[in-house]
Amino acid sequence: MLDDSLNKEINIEKYDFIYIGSEFCFKKIPSPDTIKKINHKNIVLMTPILKDDSLKIVKKILDSVKISEIVINDLGLLEYLIKKHPKIKINIGRVIATSLSYSLSFGKAKQIITKHINAIEIDSLLEKNIDLKNKKLHFHYPFSYLTHSIICHFKIDNKCNCFTSYTKLDSAEFSNIYAKQNAYFLYEKNISSNTLIKRMVYHIFSLNI
Amino acid sequence: MKKVIGINTYKEALYLINYADEIYFGLRSIKNHRIWYDYLNVSDIDEAIKIIKLAKDKNKKSYIAANESYSQREIENVIKIIRTLLSNGLDGIILKDINLASYFKNKTDIILSSTAIVFNSAALNFYIRNTGLNRIVIPQHLKPSDAIDIMKIKSIQYEIFYLLDVYCRNVDGACKFHIFDGKTREKSNCKYVFKVNEKNIDMRPPSIYDRAKIIYDYKKMGVKYIKLARDGSADYKIKLIKEVDMMLSIIKKSSSDKVFIQAIKKFF
């Protein structure tokens, strides 16, 4: 998982896949020009919940840059991908997987959503709420998604002022909560032994513990 | 705007029914978005039926909130209970589960819960096609200026929460912060203030004036329903109902949003 504070000395070639963008904040979606500059054969574009204006921008990115795999957190984007970009592999992101959870494994939801997807992005917390026997899982580590806000309280004078790296939040009540961008996470060291997990997604590059 | 009031007991329904245009309730035996608090759910099916019949007698509509996602094992029981309630006069379901909606599509009124992740017109059309929904409760984090394309869809109706009382700091329906460690705290987790380098960090909602302006804008855009949540005592809800009536009256009399906010500042 690359982010906007990426250390340029990291050799991305040694990783099988490179995740860019954000599952939580639209402002962290890179421009087509930035994506074109990333020299890696397997780029995975992460996208968040989208409003109409940001959905249009993501569609433009998809129409102008070759993306082989995408993480979606918005069903408005799903049909566009199926119709216009059938070759792009679609992964269900952690935000929408939290909402859809068990419903993905059967019935109408399976028919209209799960049938079209390549994998589900999960983490330690989400794993308990997903019940799929025949879909690949991509395990995000070591931060599990807790929550996020779309009304951004980190904005100052209309400029983003959020944490660009995982930052520990001090509290008497909680000992392992971190914030990054507009989201909160639980830091957990446990790695799942689920055999459906086919990929580990490390969020380590900008850790600020 | 019609007032939709959350009800937790038959006694409360008797107290509030004359103030409401519609009522809704959760049931302890059906997982819903107040799963953490038994007292915010009607205790059993018999009490729910009494509430539904009371609403019918008063010519008011009643809805059940079944707005979580259900496993294959859970959904059979959910469907069975809702069918029983519908046969006793329930008018519809507030839901987000596509499988549940597909079962009841064209059989009753379907209201898409704000806990469904619908922030654009394509996502709304996806749900309309697949659930047959008649109304959507607009997510609290979707500002009126971002909902213009959504509200061009005229085949359904729109509802908002009374945002001065209810405003989740986080995206409703995709939040595990409340329950991730199995503890239900007196203070909701999302209201905790953290510290980073001695600086306070918390997820703050917009100011009450910004939230009042959201209600003003949505009213002007054609939203027909305003919802008062299940939280709080019956007396607290009466206080909120009076606030809503006052706010709607001020909107009606205000020549602009600025005039409206100036008027609101006298009361809040």
Side-chain angles (χ1 to χ4, degrees):
Chain A
M1 161 65 201
L2 299 186
D3 65 19
D4 45 21
S5 60
L6 169 67
N7 181 339
K8 290 194 166 47
E9 289 173 9
I10 288 171
N11 176 15
I12 60 172
E13 284 177 15
K14 71 176 184 177
Y15 296 97
D16 300 313
F17 295 86
I18 294 298
Y19 279 58
I20 60 169
S22 171
E23 286 189 89
F24 314 107
C25 180
F26 174 72
K27 290 196 178 287
K28 305 296 179 187
I29 301 292
S31 68
D33 287 345
T34 305
I35 298 171
K36 282 174 189 166
K37 283 179 195 162
I38 300 171
N39 186 21
H40 197 283
K41 60 181 179 184
N42 293 316
I43 295 173
V44 183
L45 176 65
M46 294 197 290
T47 58
I49 292 173
L50 300 166
K51 297 172 188 172
D52 272 294
D53 58 350
S54 45
L55 178 60
K56 282 176 196 155
I57 293 169
V58 169
K59 285 178 181 176
K60 273 187 187 167
I61 292 172
L62 296 171
D63 294 346
S64 60
V65 185
K66 197 179 173 196
I67 300 280
S68 57
E69 197 169 324
I70 188 168
V71 175
I72 64 163
N73 281 294
D74 196 297
L75 292 176
L77 186 54
L78 178 68
E79 287 191 323
Y80 185 76
L81 285 161
I82 295 167
K83 282 180 192 163
K84 300 280 185 183
H85 297 282
K87 287 186 178 167
I88 298 179
K89 288 180 180 171
I90 304 167
N91 302 342
I92 290 286
R94 288 179 290 167
V95 176
I96 203 153
T98 299
S99 177
L100 296 169
S101 73
Y102 301 112
S103 68
L104 285 168
S105 62
F106 67 102
K108 184 85 172 173
K110 184 179 179 183
Q111 182 195 330
I112 60 175
I113 301 171
T114 318
K115 191 177 93 178
H116 301 286
I117 64 171
N118 165 61
I120 301 190
E121 308 291 320
I122 63 159
D123 53 35
S124 181
L125 282 177
L126 187 55
E127 190 188 1
K128 296 154 197 160
N129 296 329
I130 294 290
D131 181 26
L132 291 175
K133 307 260 180 320
N134 56 358
K135 284 288 171 192
K136 290 185 281 186
L137 301 175
H138 299 160
F139 191 84
H140 290 244
Y141 178 85
F143 295 100
S144 289
Y145 165 70
L146 280 173
T147 191
H148 78 297
S149 168
I150 289 183
I151 303 294
C152 193
H153 39 274
F154 298 116
K155 221 180 259 180
I156 296 174
D157 295 333
N158 213 27
K159 285 184 182 168
C160 290
N161 193 38
C162 58
F163 300 111
T164 54
S165 57
Y166 287 100
T167 302
K168 192 171 192 307
L169 302 178
D170 293 324
S171 151
E173 184 70 27
F174 306 102
S175 59
N176 47 2
I177 305 281
Y178 284 71
K180 186 186 172 192
Q181 296 169 2
N182 55 339
Y184 284 12
F185 300 87
L186 181 70
Y187 176 65
E188 284 194 305
K189 286 181 182 173
N190 299 338
I191 297 179
S192 169
S193 57
N194 189 330
T195 54
L196 288 172
I197 293 172
K198 303 299 178 197
R199 186 184 298 172
M200 292 288 289
V201 185
Y202 292 100
H203 292 248
I204 53 174
F205 295 137
S206 56
L207 181 58
N208 177 21
I209 297 179
Chain B
M1 276 173 154
K2 289 185 174 179
K3 292 190 289 286
V4 185
I5 299 178
I7 296 289
N8 303 318
T9 63
Y10 176 66
K11 192 179 166 189
E12 191 181 51
L14 282 170
Y15 194 49
L16 295 175
I17 191 73
N18 291 329
Y19 295 94
D21 295 297
E22 296 179 352
I23 58 169
Y24 78 102
F25 59 87
L27 194 57
R28 281 182 204 174
S29 50
I30 293 183
K31 206 165 67 175
N32 65 76
H33 206 52
R34 291 292 183 275
I35 192 173
W36 318 285
Y37 307 108
D38 270 355
Y39 66 92
L40 294 178
N41 286 285
V42 173
S43 61
D44 56 38
I45 295 173
D46 290 341
E47 188 172 12
I49 290 170
K50 279 171 70 180
I51 292 169
I52 291 164
K53 289 188 183 301
L54 173 70
K56 275 273 169 260
D57 287 347
K58 297 283 184 180
N59 210 20
K60 311 276 170 96
K61 286 193 170 185
S62 61
Y63 295 92
I64 186 165
N67 52 352
E68 287 292 338
S69 293
Y70 304 102
S71 68
Q72 196 159 13
R73 203 175 59 176
E74 288 170 329
I75 206 164
E76 287 175 25
N77 191 44
V78 173
I79 288 171
K80 191 178 158 194
I81 294 170
I82 292 175
R83 284 180 62 186
T84 302
L85 298 179
L86 287 170
S87 68
N88 279 279
L90 183 77
D91 290 287
I93 316 162
I94 303 162
L95 53 73
K96 74 167 179 178
D97 187 299
I98 290 166
N99 297 328
L100 185 64
S102 74
Y103 181 85
F104 286 106
K105 188 176 178 182
N106 300 326
K107 291 176 185 161
T108 188
D109 285 353
I110 304 244
I111 300 176
L112 191 65
S113 168
S114 63
T115 60
I117 309 289
V118 173
F119 282 78
N120 59 66
S121 49
L124 179 55
N125 277 321
F126 178 90
Y127 271 94
I128 289 173
R129 272 196 303 281
N130 291 301
T131 68
L133 67 97
N134 318 87
R135 191 193 305 175
I136 180 175
V137 186
I138 295 173
Q140 293 162 27
H141 285 208
L142 188 64
K143 291 178 186 169
S145 57
D146 292 321
I148 292 167
D149 285 348
I150 281 184
M151 292 196 63
K152 283 178 186 164
I153 299 170
K154 301 294 181 194
S155 59
I156 62 162
Q157 292 184 308
Y158 297 88
E159 180 174 317
I160 54 170
F161 273 98
Y162 178 51
L163 300 170
L164 267 63
D165 178 54
V166 173
Y167 197 100
C168 278
R169 285 149 166 79
N170 309 311
V171 178
D172 221 2
C175 175
K176 291 195 288 276
F177 199 14
H178 216 62
I179 50 168
F180 73 94
D181 60 358
K183 293 181 190 169
T184 305
R185 296 173 175 82
E186 195 177 316
K187 189 178 184 179
S188 299
N189 291 359
C190 43
K191 291 180 185 167
Y192 271 92
V193 178
F194 295 96
K195 280 196 181 292
V196 174
N197 298 329
E198 303 301 314
K199 195 177 148 194
N200 285 347
I201 300 290
D202 65 343
M203 291 188 157
R204 270 179 226 159
S207 74
I208 57 164
Y209 305 118
D210 286 344
R211 282 178 271 159
K213 170 75 164 49
I214 293 171
I215 295 172
Y216 174 92
D217 286 341
Y218 272 129
K219 169 83 172 73
K220 296 288 178 187
M221 287 167 75
V223 169
K224 297 274 188 263
Y225 297 86
I226 188 160
K227 186 197 292 275
L228 288 95
R230 287 175 272 170
D231 314 69
S233 67
D235 286 335
Y236 178 70
K237 287 173 191 170
I238 296 277
K239 175 186 159 283
L240 295 181
I241 290 161
K242 287 177 181 169
E243 275 182 28
V244 170
D245 286 341
M246 183 184 68
M247 184 168 289
L248 295 177
S249 162
I250 295 172
I251 291 173
K252 202 173 175 183
K253 288 175 194 161
S254 298
S255 55
S256 71
D257 54 352
K258 283 177 187 156
V259 172
F260 166 71
I261 292 297
Q262 278 170 1
I264 284 292
K265 282 184 175 174
K266 290 176 191 163
F267 298 98
F268 293 94

